[in-house]
Amino acid sequence: NQHVVDALKKLNIHTVEDKKKTRMELLDEINEGVVIFTAHGISEQAKQKALKKGLICVDASCTDVIETQRLVKEKIDEGYHVLYIGKKNHPEAEAVLAISDHVHLITSIDDLNLNLTEKLFVTNQTTMSILEIEKIIEQIEKKWPDAQIMREICNATSIRQKAVLDLKEKEIEMKREINTNKNHCYLHSPYINETSNIENDINEYLPSDEDRT
């Protein structure tokens, strides 16, 4: 959120972000002061690296993320392998993958080409698209019917995605009622362009095939 980033800068709080670098690598750019780990979560390895550098650490991890990490650790200790549905290089997934080599990142159905005979536990990145998760889980259940599955969508993400889907349903009803051969509805709102294609606007906020977060 650029507005938040700008506000933090005014308080002399700088955001360190690079999609090409891991959290461990980003810590190399911080040599003093306070480091605040974001709500996406952080690995134990990254925490220890920060402490060894003498940094003051503030862990702002979301409670839902912490709970997912706890579940993964618990299942690993019980002898399970974990199929973690998430996005490559996403900080939340990065932290979970650092827990054990027995955690396997599943970014799409194509990643299910695994020869696993161990007990399986399935969970996911808490900010994933609900629809995409269900598609992958459906295939997992076909291949490993005995797998334990725990869907972990954070409350804020769930509410936001449901609201968007509900709005899309309302749009469909509006199209049925409006006698026009165009797919445009003109709205007067400070939040939507005055001449706005509702379908395009909604799809902009729904996760795309290439980049769902």
Side-chain angles (χ1 to χ4, degrees):
N1 187 316
Q2 192 59 46
H3 295 292
V4 174
V5 171
D6 292 340
L8 290 174
K9 281 183 180 179
K10 293 179 181 179
L11 298 172
N12 201 30
I13 300 174
H14 302 281
T15 303
V16 181
E17 184 66 46
D18 187 334
K19 291 183 179 181
K20 296 180 180 179
K21 294 183 179 181
T22 65
R23 290 301 185 258
M24 292 285 280
E25 292 170 334
L26 289 173
L27 280 171
D28 292 333
E29 302 177 19
I30 307 171
N31 296 315
E32 61 180 357
V34 179
V35 59
I36 302 174
F37 298 120
T38 66
H40 300 103
I42 194 71
S43 68
E44 188 60 34
Q45 295 91 324
K47 282 185 184 178
Q48 292 305 314
K49 180 174 181 175
L51 291 171
K52 287 180 180 178
K53 295 189 69 172
L55 300 173
I56 299 171
C57 298
V58 178
D59 189 351
S61 296
C62 169
T63 53
D64 292 315
V65 172
I66 293 173
E67 175 61 15
T68 299
Q69 292 177 346
R70 185 196 67 77
L71 281 170
V72 170
K73 291 174 183 177
E74 179 181 284
K75 292 302 178 180
I76 292 294
D77 289 342
E78 293 175 2
Y80 283 78
H81 275 237
V82 175
L83 299 183
Y84 182 79
I85 304 171
K87 291 297 177 183
K88 186 176 182 180
N89 297 327
H90 190 281
E92 185 178 340
E94 177 189 314
V96 173
L97 290 172
I99 293 173
S100 170
D101 292 337
H102 289 173
V103 180
H104 309 274
L105 179 62
I106 306 299
T107 63
S108 69
I109 292 173
D110 294 338
D111 293 328
L112 297 177
N113 187 26
L114 299 170
N115 295 317
L116 295 173
T117 57
E118 296 85 358
K119 295 185 296 183
L120 289 181
F121 177 71
V122 182
T123 189
N124 58 272
Q125 185 178 310
T126 63
T127 53
M128 287 285 289
S129 160
I130 298 170
L131 298 178
E132 184 178 24
I133 287 173
E134 290 305 319
K135 290 179 182 178
I136 295 176
I137 287 178
E138 182 181 345
Q139 295 304 312
I140 290 174
E141 289 177 323
K142 289 180 180 179
K143 186 169 183 178
W144 296 286
D146 295 328
Q148 288 189 21
I149 297 171
M150 181 68 71
R151 295 166 177 81
E152 293 287 324
I153 298 294
C154 80
N155 190 50
T157 298
S158 179
I159 291 173
R160 184 170 63 250
Q161 292 185 13
K162 185 178 184 301
V164 172
L165 291 173
D166 287 347
L167 185 57
K168 195 168 182 66
E169 287 299 320
K170 290 179 182 178
E171 177 224 354
I172 292 171
E173 291 302 319
M174 289 172 67
K175 283 183 178 179
R176 288 174 181 167
E177 294 175 10
I178 297 174
N179 183 20
T180 178
N181 57 7
K182 293 183 178 180
N183 290 332
H184 290 78
C185 292
Y186 298 97
L187 303 180
H188 297 278
S189 167
Y191 304 106
I192 301 178
N193 291 336
E194 196 165 353
T195 56
S196 175
N197 183 310
I198 295 178
E199 183 172 10
N200 289 342
D201 288 341
I202 293 173
N203 287 335
E204 180 181 345
Y205 292 97
L206 284 171
S208 65
D209 290 336
E210 292 82 15
D211 183 26
R212 293 184 173 90
T213 61

